Every structure is written in C-alpha cells, then in structure tokens.
Amino acid sequence: MNRWIKTLTAATAALATAVVSAPAGLAQPAADSGSAVVRHVAAPGRIVNLRVGEHTHFDRVVVDVRGGVPGYTLRYVHRLRYDGSGERVPLHGRRFLALSLTPATAHRADGTSVYRGPQLQQYSMPVLRGVAFTGDF
C-alpha cells in the first residue's frame, strides 16, 4: 500500500460522501437538475482527513487520501442525508454541494476508521458554511 498521502483540493467541495454548505446567493448552479461533475478512475484510496481554509478570493476544502486518488461525483443538492439512516444532515443553508469519492473507503478491512477529520463542522467563512462526513459505504 502506498504510504504517501495524496491531496485532492477543491474550491468548495468536501468528502467521501461528504457535503459542503454555502450561502444560497453565492452558490450558482445551473439548476437542481441532478446534473453532476463526474470523474471515474479505478484506483482505490483511503480517506484520512479533511481540512478547510479561508483565502482572499476563495474558501478551500482539502480531502487527504492515502493510496490511489479516487474518482468523484460532485453535484448541488437541496437536502443532505446521512448514508444508511437517511437522517437529515444539520448544516445551515438552502443549497449544498455533495461530493462522493469512489472507489474509496475511510476504514481498514477490520472496520476501524482511518478518517480523522471533522464529522460535522459549521464555519462562518465568506462562502463555506460547513462540512459533514455523511458515510463510508
């Protein structure tokens, strides 16, 4: 297994079925048509952390992946739900970006978690309002 940590950076995105909340006036998707940005790859990776940063002209979310860099699906959604339970994710906002990384996991073969980032965190940056780790299925 590759011991180096590779970093996936996105302007306003988040994690393995994780989500980002931005103010509705700043998030400008074409529509909630279910359209998505998709990138497919075959290399699996392990999601180990998520970091955010506020900069002069943008907010940043970084997902740290150990091993292969996974593919992703990124789309705007009206509601965020936790995988498995289907319960609503309690982030502020009316529009959200949902990022799914695949193939990727956030656990070892024995089920122990390798993810050390935030599970649910609110922010008051200009665009980024919060992130949530919503599942590892």
Side-chain angles (χ1 to χ4, degrees), residues 93-133:
R94 292 180 290 156
R95 303 184 53 101
F96 306 91
L97 276 174
L99 172 65
S100 297
L101 302 177
T102 186
T105 63
H107 63 277
R108 294 183 183 89
D110 66 3
T112 58
S113 179
V114 295
Y115 177 69
R116 300 293 178 242
Q119 297 292 321
L120 177 66
Q121 185 68 47
Q122 305 284 349
Y123 302 103
S124 49
M125 296 179 193
V127 174
L128 184 64
R129 299 297 184 192
V131 295
F133 181 76

Side-chain angles (χ1 to χ4, degrees), residues 45-108:
R46 286 209 176 123
I47 298 154
V48 296
N49 198 10
L50 178 129
R51 299 172 283 133
V52 302
E54 182 179 343
H55 300 277
T56 304
H57 300 290
F58 64 95
D59 295 337
R60 173 180 47 92
V61 175
V62 176
V63 179
D64 293 327
V65 179
R66 182 173 289 148
V69 176
Y72 62 86
T73 301
L74 179 66
R75 62 190 171 93
Y76 281 94
V77 297
H78 278 293
R79 290 178 199 87
L80 301 171
R81 304 238 177 237
Y82 286 107
D83 291 346
S85 72
E87 290 183 34
R88 193 172 191 148
V89 176
L91 283 174
H92 300 296
R94 292 180 290 156
R95 303 184 53 101
F96 306 91
L97 276 174
L99 172 65
S100 297
L101 302 177
T102 186
T105 63
H107 63 277
R108 294 183 183 89

Side-chain angles (χ1 to χ4, degrees), residues 28-35 76 95:
Q28 297 297 324
D32 280 335
S33 61
S35 61
Y76 281 94
R95 303 184 53 101

